[in-house]
């Protein structure tokens, strides 16, 4: 990035819908101009467009004032994540703006600074999405597993901090690492994570689903029913 940029930020990788407008300096310093967070995973599609309008109005901006769109690519559940990425892509296409995707866990990891950290978010089905960081860089993941399996990471590669929803960090850290309760990425952290790529041509906006969606078409269900069952 060679100059100041103003970006619209969207993330629906967690149960919390995050939208914001962030100004990035030429050095990558991020300043939040407006932000909305709504914790309701069942209403991502209903509220996202309204929240975008609210943050633009609060920042006294219109779409033409933006330089780019930044979208959290997950990992996250299929339906919610798809809503955010589709909205970001449509908004960028309508305004002729580049759309940059960033791993949502990378943004959450920023709270740990340069410490070695394990970041987790709720993947449902009694599992978590996770990634491990050292010196501010991702060194393992993202992946999905049960919390007990992820906890074994602390034995193989000890970390200073476990970051994520408290119901998971307590179980995973188990007194062996500091716990930091964070349930969703901030607009500022998402924008900062994307700052090195701003001003360049973005790659494809690829979601990190990590597993198949919960819902499948009826024809897929029928196909599964015809598969042999291993004894």
């Amino acid at each position: 990035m060679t100059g100041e940029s103003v970006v619209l930020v969207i993330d629906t990788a967690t149960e919390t819908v995050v939208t914001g407008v962030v100004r990035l300096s030429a050095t990558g310093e991020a300043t939040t101009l407006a932000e909305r967070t709504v914790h309701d995973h069942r209403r991502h599609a209903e509220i996202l467009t309204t929240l975008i309008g609210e943050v633009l109005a609060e920042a006294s901006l219109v779409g033409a004032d933006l330089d780019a769109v930044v979208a959290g690519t997950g990992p996250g559940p299929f339906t919610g994540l798809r809503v955010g990425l589709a909205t970001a892509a449509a908004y960028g296409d309508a305004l002729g703006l580049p759309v940059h995707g960033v791993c949502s866990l990378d943004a959450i990891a920023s709270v740990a600074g340069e410490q070695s950290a394990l970041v987790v978010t709720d993947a449902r089905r009694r599992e978590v999405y996770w990634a491990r960081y050292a010196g501010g860089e991702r060194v393992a993941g993202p992946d999905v597993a049960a919390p007990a399996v992820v906890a074994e990471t602390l034995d193989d590669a000890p970390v200073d901090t476990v970051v994520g929803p408290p119901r998971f960090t307590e179980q995973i850290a188990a007194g062996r690492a500091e716990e930091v309760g964070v349930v969703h990425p901030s607009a500022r952290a998402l924008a900062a994570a994307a700052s090195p790529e701003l001003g360049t041509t973005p790659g494809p906006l690829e979601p990190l689903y990590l597993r198949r969606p919960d819902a499948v078409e009826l024809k897929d269900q029928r196909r599964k029913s015809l598969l042999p069952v291993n004894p």
Side-chain angles (χ1 to χ4, degrees), residues 125 211-230:
R125 304 185 193 174
R211 65 187 181 200
R212 293 177 61 83
D214 292 328
V216 295
E217 294 184 12
L218 182 59
K219 62 182 180 181
D220 293 330
Q221 293 175 344
R222 288 173 178 165
R223 186 178 298 117
K224 287 182 178 180
S225 69
L226 295 175
L227 293 175
V229 179
N230 293 328

Side-chain angles (χ1 to χ4, degrees), residues 1-2 5-7 24 67-70 98 100 191 194-200:
M1 187 173 67
T2 58
S5 296
V6 177
V7 300
L24 289 161
D67 297 296
V69 179
V70 172
H100 295 269
S195 63
E197 303 300 322
L198 295 182
T200 67

